Protein backbone atom coordinates (compact mmCIF):
# COMPACT_ATOMS: atom_id res chain seq x y z
CA UNK A 1 0.00 0.00 0.00
CA UNK A 2 1.08 3.54 -0.68
CA UNK A 3 0.00 6.72 1.02
CA UNK A 4 -0.38 10.21 -0.39
CA UNK A 5 0.11 12.29 2.76
CA UNK A 6 0.14 12.34 6.55
CA UNK A 7 -1.15 15.44 8.34
CA UNK A 8 0.07 15.38 11.91
CA UNK A 9 -2.11 18.16 13.37
CA UNK A 10 -5.41 17.90 11.55
CA UNK A 11 -8.62 19.41 12.92
CA UNK A 12 -10.87 19.18 9.86
CA UNK A 13 -11.21 15.38 9.56
CA UNK A 14 -12.89 14.50 12.83
CA UNK A 15 -13.20 15.80 16.36
CA UNK A 16 -10.15 17.12 18.21
CA UNK A 17 -6.57 17.22 17.00
CA UNK A 18 -5.86 14.16 14.86
CA UNK A 19 -3.35 12.47 12.64
CA UNK A 20 -4.86 12.15 9.16
CA UNK A 21 -3.49 9.42 6.91
CA UNK A 22 -4.38 9.87 3.24
CA UNK A 23 -3.95 6.49 1.56
CA UNK A 24 -3.46 5.98 -2.16
CA UNK A 25 -5.80 4.06 -4.39
CA UNK A 26 -9.46 4.61 -5.10
CA UNK A 27 -11.83 3.09 -7.62
CA UNK A 28 -14.74 5.51 -7.00
CA UNK A 29 -13.35 8.46 -9.03
CA UNK A 30 -15.96 10.88 -7.68
CA UNK A 31 -16.57 13.95 -9.83
CA UNK A 32 -15.13 16.96 -7.97
CA UNK A 33 -12.86 14.87 -5.72
CA UNK A 34 -10.46 17.05 -3.70
CA UNK A 35 -7.70 14.42 -3.83
CA UNK A 36 -7.78 13.10 -7.38
CA UNK A 37 -4.04 12.33 -7.48
CA UNK A 38 -4.60 9.72 -4.76
CA UNK A 39 -6.83 7.61 -7.04
CA UNK A 40 -3.66 5.95 -8.32
CA UNK A 41 -2.70 3.00 -6.09
CA UNK A 42 1.01 3.64 -6.76
CA UNK A 43 0.88 7.38 -5.98
CA UNK A 44 2.93 8.67 -3.05
CA UNK A 45 5.21 6.72 -0.76
CA UNK A 46 5.19 3.09 0.39
CA UNK A 47 3.54 2.52 3.77
CA UNK A 48 6.27 0.86 5.85
CA UNK A 49 6.88 -0.24 9.44
CA UNK A 50 8.71 3.09 9.88
CA UNK A 51 5.63 4.97 8.65
CA UNK A 52 3.48 3.05 11.13
CA UNK A 53 5.96 3.79 13.95
CA UNK A 54 5.89 7.50 13.05
CA UNK A 55 2.09 7.57 13.21
CA UNK A 56 2.06 5.81 16.60
CA UNK A 57 4.65 8.31 17.90
CA UNK A 58 2.62 11.26 16.57
CA UNK A 59 -0.53 9.95 18.31
CA UNK A 60 1.11 9.57 21.75
CA UNK A 61 0.64 13.10 23.18
CA UNK A 62 -2.43 13.51 25.40
CA UNK A 63 -3.80 16.33 23.24
CA UNK A 64 -4.06 14.03 20.20
CA UNK A 65 -7.64 12.73 19.91
CA UNK A 66 -6.94 10.00 17.39
CA UNK A 67 -6.42 9.05 13.78
CA UNK A 68 -8.46 9.57 10.64
CA UNK A 69 -8.04 7.35 7.58
CA UNK A 70 -9.08 8.81 4.26
CA UNK A 71 -7.72 8.92 0.80
CA UNK A 72 -7.85 7.71 -1.81
CA UNK A 73 -9.93 4.97 -0.31
CA UNK A 74 -8.93 3.23 2.93
CA UNK A 75 -11.66 0.61 2.50
CA UNK A 76 -10.39 -0.72 -0.82
CA UNK A 77 -9.69 -4.35 0.15
CA UNK A 78 -5.99 -4.07 -0.79
CA UNK A 79 -5.66 -1.09 1.60
CA UNK A 80 -7.70 -2.73 4.37
CA UNK A 81 -5.22 -5.61 4.48
CA UNK A 82 -2.44 -3.19 5.47
CA UNK A 83 -4.42 -0.69 7.56
CA UNK A 84 -5.96 -3.33 9.83
CA UNK A 85 -2.52 -3.89 11.37
CA UNK A 86 -2.07 -0.18 12.10
CA UNK A 87 -5.52 0.01 13.73
CA UNK A 88 -4.89 -3.13 15.76
CA UNK A 89 -1.67 -1.59 17.05
CA UNK A 90 -3.38 1.72 17.91
CA UNK A 91 -6.10 -0.10 19.87
CA UNK A 92 -3.44 -2.07 21.77
CA UNK A 93 -0.91 0.71 22.45
CA UNK A 94 -3.18 3.78 22.51
CA UNK A 95 -6.65 2.51 23.44
CA UNK A 96 -8.03 5.96 24.31
CA UNK A 97 -7.50 7.32 20.79
CA UNK A 98 -10.48 7.43 18.44
CA UNK A 99 -10.48 6.08 14.90
CA UNK A 100 -12.40 7.76 12.09
CA UNK A 101 -12.57 6.32 8.57
CA UNK A 102 -13.83 8.19 5.51
CA UNK A 103 -15.00 5.90 2.73
CA UNK A 104 -16.80 6.31 -0.56
CA UNK A 105 -18.40 2.92 0.04
CA UNK A 106 -21.67 2.69 1.90
CA UNK A 107 -21.54 0.92 5.26
CA UNK A 108 -23.71 -1.79 3.72
CA UNK A 109 -21.01 -2.43 1.07
CA UNK A 110 -18.59 -3.32 3.89
CA UNK A 111 -20.81 -5.96 5.48
CA UNK A 112 -20.45 -9.68 4.65
CA UNK A 113 -21.43 -10.20 1.03
CA UNK A 114 -20.85 -6.52 0.23
CA UNK A 115 -18.64 -5.49 -2.65
CA UNK A 116 -15.86 -4.05 -0.44
CA UNK A 117 -15.92 -6.80 2.18
CA UNK A 118 -12.81 -8.96 2.49
CA UNK A 119 -11.28 -11.22 5.13
CA UNK A 120 -10.20 -8.28 7.36
CA UNK A 121 -13.15 -5.88 6.96
CA UNK A 122 -15.02 -6.96 10.07
CA UNK A 123 -11.87 -6.69 12.20
CA UNK A 124 -11.02 -3.31 10.70
CA UNK A 125 -14.48 -1.94 11.43
CA UNK A 126 -14.27 -3.28 15.00
CA UNK A 127 -11.39 -0.84 15.62
CA UNK A 128 -13.27 2.12 14.12
CA UNK A 129 -15.38 4.56 16.16
CA UNK A 130 -16.79 6.73 13.37
CA UNK A 131 -17.37 5.82 9.73
CA UNK A 132 -18.17 8.62 7.30
CA UNK A 133 -19.64 6.73 4.36
CA UNK A 134 -20.85 7.38 0.84
CA UNK A 135 -19.27 8.81 -2.27
CA UNK A 136 -18.74 12.53 -2.65
CA UNK A 137 -21.53 13.79 -4.92
CA UNK A 138 -20.70 17.17 -6.42
CA UNK A 139 -24.38 18.00 -7.01
CA UNK A 140 -25.01 17.48 -3.28
CA UNK A 141 -21.94 19.42 -2.10
CA UNK A 142 -22.69 21.52 0.97
CA UNK A 143 -19.86 23.45 2.63
CA UNK A 144 -21.93 24.05 5.76
CA UNK A 145 -21.94 20.33 6.66
CA UNK A 146 -19.76 19.22 9.53
CA UNK A 147 -17.12 16.57 8.69
CA UNK A 148 -18.49 15.68 5.26
CA UNK A 149 -18.57 17.16 1.80
CA UNK A 150 -21.95 16.20 0.38
CA UNK A 151 -25.44 15.72 1.80
CA UNK A 152 -25.63 12.01 0.94
CA UNK A 153 -22.73 11.12 3.25
CA UNK A 154 -23.47 9.75 6.71
CA UNK A 155 -21.51 10.02 9.96
CA UNK A 156 -22.06 6.62 11.56
CA UNK A 157 -21.33 5.73 15.20
CA UNK A 158 -20.12 2.15 14.70
CA UNK A 159 -20.39 0.68 18.21
CA UNK A 160 -24.01 1.86 18.51
CA UNK A 161 -24.68 0.56 14.99
CA UNK A 162 -23.30 -2.87 15.89
CA UNK A 163 -25.33 -2.95 19.12
CA UNK A 164 -28.58 -1.87 17.43
CA UNK A 165 -28.18 -3.94 14.28
CA UNK A 166 -29.02 -0.86 12.20
CA UNK A 167 -27.21 2.32 11.21
CA UNK A 168 -27.00 4.87 14.04
CA UNK A 169 -25.87 8.33 12.99
CA UNK A 170 -23.34 10.04 15.25
CA UNK A 171 -24.24 13.64 14.45
CA UNK A 172 -26.11 15.73 11.95
Amino acid sequence: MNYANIKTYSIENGTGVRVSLFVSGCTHHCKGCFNEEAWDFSYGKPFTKETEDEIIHDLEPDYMAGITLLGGEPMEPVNQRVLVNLLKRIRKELPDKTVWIYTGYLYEDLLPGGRANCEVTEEMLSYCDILVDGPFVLEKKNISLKFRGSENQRIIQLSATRDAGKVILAME
Side-chain angles (χ1 to χ4, degrees), residues 55-69:
I55 290 170
I56 295 293
H57 173 76
D58 291 342
L59 283 169
E60 287 174 345
D62 289 341
Y63 61 83
M64 296 301 290
I67 188 166
T68 299
L69 305 178

Side-chain angles (χ1 to χ4, degrees), residues 16 21 29 52 60 66 68 81 105 134 152 156-157 160 172:
L21 171 62
H29 299 184
E52 186 176 293
E60 287 174 345
T68 299
R81 292 179 181 108
Y105 290 107
N152 61 295
I156 301 171
Q157 209 295 329
E172 283 299 314

Side-chain angles (χ1 to χ4, degrees), residues 116-129:
N117 184 276
C118 70
E119 72 280 0
V120 299
T121 305
E122 198 171 327
E123 181 182 6
M124 188 150 162
L125 290 175
S126 76
Y127 301 133
C128 180
D129 299 291

Side-chain angles (χ1 to χ4, degrees), residues 99-140:
V99 174
W100 283 51
I101 299 175
Y102 281 77
T103 180
Y105 290 107
L106 295 176
Y107 171 70
E108 294 78 5
D109 294 329
L110 304 173
L111 298 176
R115 64 189 179 114
N117 184 276
C118 70
E119 72 280 0
V120 299
T121 305
E122 198 171 327
E123 181 182 6
M124 188 150 162
L125 290 175
S126 76
Y127 301 133
C128 180
D129 299 291
I130 300 290
L131 184 76
V132 182
D133 82 336
F136 173 74
V137 177
L138 187 59
E139 295 77 20
K140 294 183 178 189

Side-chain angles (χ1 to χ4, degrees), residues 2 16 18-19 23 31 36-37 72 83 88 97 100 110-111 115 128 136 149 151 155 157 167 170-171:
N2 281 8
R18 316 184 65 73
V19 172
V23 302
K31 179 180 163 188
E36 213 172 292
E37 64 273 6
L83 293 170
K88 183 186 304 185
K97 304 301 178 178
W100 283 51
L110 304 173
L111 298 176
R115 64 189 179 114
C128 180
F136 173 74
E151 293 172 353
I155 302 172
Q157 209 295 329
V167 171
M171 57 183 75

Side-chain angles (χ1 to χ4, degrees), residues 7 22 28 35 39 41-42 51-52 67 104 116 119 124 129 133-135 146 148 160 170:
K7 288 187 177 182
F22 294 81
H28 301 299
N35 204 10
W39 291 354
F41 284 86
S42 36
T51 310
E52 186 176 293
I67 188 166
E119 72 280 0
M124 188 150 162
D129 299 291
D133 82 336
K146 196 170 188 175
R148 54 201 169 130

Side-chain angles (χ1 to χ4, degrees), residues 1 6 20 24 42 80 89 92 97 104 107-108 112 117 145 148 165 171:
M1 181 187 86
I6 298 173
S20 289
S24 295
S42 36
Q80 289 182 49
R89 187 169 168 201
K92 181 179 179 187
K97 304 301 178 178
Y107 171 70
E108 294 78 5
N117 184 276
L145 295 172
R148 54 201 169 130
M171 57 183 75

